[in-house]
Amino acid sequence: MKQTFFTPGPSQLFPTVKNHIHEGLAHNIGSISHRSELFQSLYSSLCNSLQRLFGIPQEYSIFVVSSGTEAMERIIQNCVDKKSYHFFNGTFSKRFYQTAIDMQKQPEKYEVAHGQGYEMERVSIKNDIELICMTHNETSTGVMIPEEFIYNVKRAYPDLLLAIDIVSSVPYVALDYKKIDIAFFSVQKGFGLPAGLGVIVLSPRAIERASFLLARGKTVGASYRRFTDMKAYAARYQTKETPNVFAMYLLGKVLDDLNTIGIEKIRKKTDKNAAFIYDIFKKHQKTYETFVQDPMWQSKTVLVAKVSGGSQRIIQEANEQGFVIGSGYGEYKKTHIRIANFPAHSTSIMRLLGEKLSTLA
Ligand SMILES: *Cc1c(COP(=O)(O)O)cnc(C)c1O
């Protein structure tokens, strides 16, 4: 039976990926040297396509790593001597915070309950903080931070570096990159690609910070993952290590596809389909209760509902009919459903899923 994955990562592959894999094999992408001109042009066109899709300023650096989780570690390692500050409301924001603890930093946090947004009046960041960390879309519970809130934080603390985890909101999230210093994502969620690649976008200030810490003898890791060294390699479109060349190739191809479709169109479709599913939840609210109450903070890319009587029956019955929906995360495993609404999910498949959820209610 044909299955469609609505799991929030890994998720449904973008429809063109199968072809790109075949093409990549035909072009021997799995065998080319990462010192070759072909690799350089592949990395360079990936950067160009990403800049084009998101309006990333020319002077920002684009690095590849292995995953979103690795990106968290590299960012703390390179940009924080002692203290980071974390917006904290679920498992993935906790992971960013915990990464800082694991690396023997002294992070601070502003914690709110699962499913809740933040209040600007409660943000209090002391001047010994070096980096502010936010999880744009908390995948475990479906809370998405409004872009305006991010800019308000930046306006209040213009001198501090700001890092945003956009793993499960990319490519939907519309950021003004001039107002942030670091953003990172992996490819197995919104880009609809097989896992195994992470991307970090950095402002010149973020690189300067890494260079400053290095010059003072701080531990910023082995050279292949120091932002200063990575920048030197990236300047000639190379990496020190042998990277996941095939995944970079595929990301470049999907970026081209998304540029062809147009990001605004993708965002509009995402909004429309999110509203449609939230509406289904509302129509059947005896069964599905949207977990995030405040519409301002409801995710458009990971839609989460608490299912009365438990989510396992719904998940299983949907699965039997080819609709692979996500279970709740962690403590919500048996009570929530999570539905990914990524570019790979067409409007028609979201309609079919909506009908399925209705009949199962
Ligand atoms: C999935 C996820 C991560 C972890 O990314 P990996 O590529 O699995 O390491 C981090 N943050 C958020 C918000 C996520 O959804």
Side-chain angles (χ1 to χ4, degrees):
M1 184 188 25
K2 189 177 176 298
Q3 287 185 306
T4 307
F5 285 77
F6 297 92
T7 40
S11 195
Q12 184 65 19
L13 296 186
F14 196 69
T16 56
V17 168
K18 194 173 171 185
N19 260 336
H20 295 320
I21 289 175
H22 286 302
E23 287 271 305
L25 291 174
H27 289 104
N28 299 312
I29 299 300
S31 308
I32 64 166
S33 163
H34 59 302
R35 300 285 169 246
S36 66
E37 274 180 33
L38 183 55
F39 174 78
Q40 289 175 304
S41 73
L42 185 157
Y43 189 177
S44 140
S45 93
L46 189 165
C47 293
N48 285 333
S49 304
L50 205 57
Q51 282 164 343
R52 190 174 147 214
L53 192 67
F54 294 144
I56 297 169
Q58 204 66 40
E59 65 275 17
Y60 278 44
S61 301
I62 296 172
F63 298 157
V64 292
V65 292
S66 67
S67 67
T69 304
E70 186 190 352
M72 293 180 189
E73 175 171 0
R74 299 312 173 190
I75 291 161
I76 300 285
Q77 189 174 42
N78 278 277
C79 297
V80 179
D81 179 19
K82 294 196 174 70
K83 284 193 166 188
S84 47
Y85 180 95
H86 298 256
F87 287 82
F88 185 121
N89 65 351
T91 311
F92 289 101
S93 40
K94 181 179 178 188
R95 184 179 296 185
F96 210 170
Y97 174 79
Q98 185 62 40
T99 299
I101 292 182
D102 292 348
M103 298 180 78
Q104 309 193 352
K105 312 296 178 191
Q106 296 121 44
E108 295 189 3
K109 62 177 151 99
Y110 163 24
E111 183 172 3
V112 298
H114 292 168
Q116 302 286 309
Y118 306 101
E119 288 168 58
M120 198 58 212
E121 301 74 51
R122 302 202 173 206
V123 178
S124 148
I125 304 178
K126 299 189 208 98
N127 46 22
D128 60 348
I129 297 292
E130 299 150 69
L131 174 74
I132 302 172
C133 302
M134 284 189 200
T135 304
H136 177 245
N137 188 61
E138 181 43 80
T139 319
S140 61
T141 55
V143 182
M144 184 176 267
I145 301 179
E147 279 107 9
E148 212 35 54
F149 183 87
I150 299 175
Y151 305 145
N152 285 341
V153 170
K154 186 65 184 174
R155 216 169 289 130
Y157 303 94
D159 296 333
L160 294 183
L161 290 179
L162 177 57
I164 320 239
D165 172 342
I166 54 171
V167 174
S168 62
S169 52
V170 83
Y172 170 80
V173 56
L175 287 176
D176 180 350
Y177 281 81
K178 288 208 187 70
K179 294 182 181 160
I180 61 163
D181 299 286
I182 305 171
F184 65 93
F185 62 85
S186 42
V187 298
Q188 74 278 15
K189 299 188 185 178
F191 283 114
L193 285 161
L197 186 70
V199 173
I200 314 179
V201 178
L202 299 113
S203 72
R205 278 182 73 219
I207 308 271
E208 276 162 31
R209 173 72 192 162
S211 159
F212 173 89
L213 291 181
L214 178 65
R216 269 155 194 74
K218 305 294 182 185
T219 312
V220 292
S223 71
Y224 86 112
R225 284 296 191 253
R226 283 179 198 154
F227 287 167
T228 44
D229 293 69
M230 291 176 89
K231 184 176 159 76
Y233 274 93
R236 47 182 199 277
Y237 296 110
Q238 290 201 356
T239 55
K240 182 161 188 171
E241 82 288 10
T242 315
N244 191 339
V245 180
F246 207 93
M248 291 172 72
Y249 170 83
L250 294 178
L251 176 60
K253 292 292 173 192
V254 167
L255 286 169
D256 289 345
D257 296 334
L258 297 177
N259 272 317
T260 304
I261 299 167
I263 191 69
E264 278 319 314
K265 201 166 160 188
I266 292 163
R267 288 181 181 137
K268 281 208 185 90
K269 183 196 90 168
T270 306
D271 282 334
K272 197 176 80 185
N273 290 343
F276 171 73
I277 295 291
Y278 281 127
D279 217 42
I280 299 277
F281 291 166
K282 203 182 258 167
K283 274 195 196 120
H284 304 280
Q285 53 190 335
K286 284 209 185 87
T287 307
Y288 308 110
E289 184 193 341
T290 301
F291 184 59
V292 178
Q293 300 283 323
D294 184 344
M296 281 266 296
W297 292 79
Q298 281 167 357
S299 175
K300 302 293 195 290
T301 56
V302 180
L303 321 172
V304 180
K306 182 175 171 216
V307 183
S308 70
S311 56
Q312 284 174 314
R313 176 186 66 86
I314 307 273
I315 291 168
Q316 192 186 331
E317 289 184 18
N319 201 330
E320 280 162 11
Q321 294 168 58
F323 296 85
V324 185
I325 59 181
S327 59
Y329 199 96
E331 66 192 272
Y332 305 109
K333 187 168 177 57
K334 294 181 178 168
T335 49
H336 287 184
I337 52 170
R338 291 180 306 149
I339 294 166
N341 177 29
F342 294 152
H345 300 110
S346 65
T347 298
S348 56
I349 197 75
M350 292 310 275
R351 300 275 142 177
L352 288 175
L353 175 69
E355 284 170 24
K356 192 57 55 195
L357 290 173
S358 300
T359 45
L360 291 174

